[in-house]
Amino acid sequence: MSSRFVIEGGNPLKGEVHISGAKNSSLAIITAAALAEDGVSVLENVPHDTDVATMCLILRRLGVNLFFDKQGRLHIDGRGLNQHQAPYDLVRKMRASFYTAGVLLTRLGRAEVPLPGGCAIGSRPVDYHIRGFSQMGADVTIEHGFMKASCRKLQGAKVYINRSSVGTTVNLMLAASLADGTTTLENAAKEPEVVDLAIFLNGMGAKIRGAGTDVIRIEGVESLHGIEYSVISDRIEAGTYMLAAAITGGEVTVKNLVLEHLRSPMIKLEEAGIVIEKGVNEVTVSAPNGLRAIDVETSPYPGFPTDLQQPLVAALCLADGTSVIRETIFDRFRYVDELRRMGADVKVERETAIIRGVKQLTGAPVEITDLRAGAALTIAALAAEGRTEIYGIDVIDRGYEHLEEKISALGGCIMREHTTEVTDLFSHIQEVKA
Ligand code: EPZ
């Protein structure tokens, strides 16, 4: 059953919003917990979104015992991992499923994982992941859309990653943690989610140094054990709500965030005329004089994150002047056609969007193609005059926990219709009383 948002725009968002745990950190850490051959990991602050549910269901199919308890904490027992073939019907839903390759290869000595397809933000190859596994001694073939890899015991290697890649860095950290010898990842990704994973793995008994820099050293150990851990908060969700406050002319306190993770975005938002009062782990955001046009180029951390490009473009549709946004990571401007249906004046030339600010956006029926496009169109609709219907919102459920509840609590007028409740998914991942 499809679901949609119906949004009546025009209400300035006011009040407080609590940021959930980071989706992209959770996906890496949930997979890493399956490396433990001894003991259970208990994860706090994991967002209840569909990407997390998908990863949990995949790991269950691989033999991992896991469940969410009544307090929403995720218990993961990696001891039962015994299936080396990842299920296509679930893997096809989410690219991060490819992280299971690193875990299967290093725990079971073999892995058969479907190659992730492309998605709405362009082709997303995993050649760097595969080359890293080969350099660590795995025999890798690509057959019928699957990566098939085997290796009695992975060996430490010096791997140069051709361009900053979060997924490659994560996957090779997972594989190297139990390998023989030391692996060095050169040109590694520096995202906070990579650092969060390294802290979690080291808590499990891994020996990882240099996370957060572009050289990460992983000294393989014999085994890893479960621990209790709390995932960092989601910097992309936080940035999204900051932009929602600005575009609707409201004032919102965004709580439970790590300001350091949002340094670049906050610099650019302030350049656009957004006022940000900074607290210890919260900010209060407003745009009393509206928005000014700015130029932005996305880049790997600590630069401006590609995942905030789309919500930023939506906000700049109402800025005074012409903004130029260059997207250097993915091909992710398809949503601009939908913004134009709402009266935006945006032109895209290859990897650059040119946004001429307009006085008003107007509500329209729109379709979303990917998670962050969904965020962009939602905040545009909150600022638009009139009614917007947003179709295909199950992709938003992939990475924004309780979105309509959080927006409604801020005074936004948003309704979800024809729902396939996210909670339906989580009803299958509840604790099963013995
Ligand atoms: C992660 O994707 C995030 N997903 C993305 O967030 C995020 O946009 C991206 O990193 C960049 O920060 C998760 O963490 C689950 P990459 P990932 O490997 O790992 C190319 C969201 O909305 N590349 O850093 O897939 C690739 O095509 C999602 O939460 C290769 O060419 O991104 C891209 O151009 C969207 N070969 C660039 O590297 C490879 O083997 C960076 O990709 C791997 C990557």
Side-chain angles (χ1 to χ4, degrees):
M1 199 168 34
S2 76
S3 48
R4 68 179 186 186
F5 281 150
V6 177
I7 294 174
E8 286 298 334
N11 298 5
L13 298 188
K14 292 188 184 309
E16 294 184 351
V17 64
H18 183 93
I19 299 304
S20 302
K23 163 178 84 82
N24 292 345
S25 193
S26 299
L27 295 174
I29 287 175
I30 289 168
T31 318
L35 286 168
E37 292 160 62
D38 169 24
V40 176
S41 287
V42 181
L43 304 181
E44 293 202 334
N45 208 31
V46 171
H48 283 207
D49 58 38
T50 48
D51 270 5
V52 164
T54 301
M55 186 62 92
C56 289
L57 294 172
I58 290 171
L59 290 175
R60 262 201 178 159
R61 296 268 281 275
L62 298 176
V64 174
N65 181 13
L66 54 80
F67 63 85
F68 280 90
D69 66 22
K70 300 272 179 295
Q71 292 72 36
R73 296 176 307 175
L74 178 55
H75 299 242
I76 303 178
D77 182 348
R79 274 171 290 203
L81 184 74
N82 61 7
Q83 290 296 322
H84 70 279
Q85 294 169 313
Y88 177 75
D89 61 310
L90 290 171
V91 167
R92 58 181 280 275
K93 296 180 176 191
M94 181 184 63
R95 172 184 171 77
S97 321
F98 203 68
Y99 293 163
T100 53
V103 171
L104 294 171
L105 203 43
T106 205
R107 271 288 310 270
L108 305 182
R110 56 183 184 159
E112 280 185 30
V113 184
L115 293 171
C119 67
I121 58 174
S123 78
R124 298 180 69 185
V126 285
D127 50 330
Y128 304 162
H129 303 232
I130 291 170
R131 191 164 67 237
F133 294 145
S134 305
Q135 286 184 255
M136 295 173 74
D139 293 325
V140 185
T141 58
I142 306 293
E143 295 170 35
H144 309 297
F146 278 73
M147 178 205 76
K148 295 186 178 180
S150 62
C151 182
R152 195 190 54 72
K153 183 78 174 167
L154 291 174
Q155 300 302 308
K158 186 172 182 127
V159 180
Y160 181 83
I161 302 171
N162 276 354
R163 69 180 286 189
S164 177
S165 162
V166 172
T168 306
T169 304
V170 165
N171 223 341
L172 297 185
M173 281 168 70
L174 295 173
S177 292
L178 294 171
D180 246 352
T182 298
T183 297
T184 304
L185 302 181
E186 297 277 356
N187 197 32
K190 298 183 280 221
E191 272 68 7
E193 294 75 27
V194 170
V195 175
D196 207 23
L197 172 65
I199 295 169
F200 175 71
L201 282 167
N202 283 339
M204 293 175 76
K207 291 181 179 168
I208 299 172
R209 295 193 317 280
T213 74
D214 48 21
V215 180
I216 300 180
R217 280 184 185 73
I218 305 110
E219 186 186 332
V221 295
E222 276 305 304
S223 70
L224 297 169
H225 57 81
I227 60 166
E228 296 204 1
Y229 192 75
S230 184
V231 168
I232 54 170
S233 73
D234 194 313
R235 60 193 169 101
I236 305 301
E237 185 196 17
T240 305
Y241 281 102
M242 292 162 78
L243 286 160
I247 190 177
T248 57
E251 178 169 308
V252 174
T253 298
V254 183
K255 301 175 84 78
N256 182 43
L257 55 87
V258 180
L259 272 69
E260 182 54 29
H261 294 167
L262 284 148
R263 267 176 59 79
S264 297
M266 288 197 289
I267 290 168
K268 295 307 285 185
L269 266 55
E270 286 172 330
E271 192 184 311
I274 295 172
V275 176
I276 304 177
E277 292 161 44
K278 300 175 182 71
V280 174
N281 59 355
E282 65 181 45
V283 294
T284 297
V285 178
S286 61
N289 305 313
L291 296 175
R292 289 193 296 270
I294 55 172
D295 296 345
V296 175
E297 182 165 312
T298 63
S299 62
Y301 193 85
F304 192 93
T306 176
D307 293 344
L308 281 180
Q309 175 259 102
Q310 292 153 295
L312 175 69
V313 166
L316 293 173
C317 289
L318 290 172
D320 180 14
T322 299
S323 303
V324 179
I325 309 295
R326 186 158 172 265
E327 171 57 66
T328 67
I329 312 282
F330 289 119
D331 168 12
R332 63 192 310 178
F333 281 128
R334 279 177 51 194
Y335 69 103
V336 163
D337 294 332
E338 301 302 301
L339 282 175
R340 272 202 284 265
R341 295 166 51 75
M342 299 175 71
D345 180 351
V346 190
K347 218 162 58 143
V348 174
E349 286 165 12
R350 285 192 299 283
E351 78 278 1
T352 301
I354 298 154
I355 305 122
R356 287 192 185 81
V358 294
K359 284 284 169 267
Q360 180 124 66
L361 294 175
T362 54
V366 292
E367 178 85 31
I368 54 179
T369 49
D370 66 276
L371 168 59
R372 306 303 175 183
L377 287 158
T378 298
I379 68 174
L382 289 167
E385 182 270 323
R387 173 187 168 106
T388 298
E389 292 173 358
I390 302 181
Y391 290 84
I393 59 168
D394 48 337
V395 292
I396 294 187
D397 292 332
R398 293 187 53 175
Y400 286 93
E401 187 182 46
H402 306 320
L403 180 79
E404 67 268 34
E405 291 87 345
K406 291 184 178 183
I407 287 175
S408 301
L410 292 170
C413 182
I414 180 171
M415 286 283 291
R416 177 190 290 253
E417 294 182 352
H418 316 310
T419 292
T420 307
E421 282 299 340
V422 177
T423 44
D424 293 351
L425 274 172
F426 281 87
S427 63
H428 301 299
I429 315 175
Q430 293 310 318
E431 185 172 9
V432 179
K433 284 288 182 209

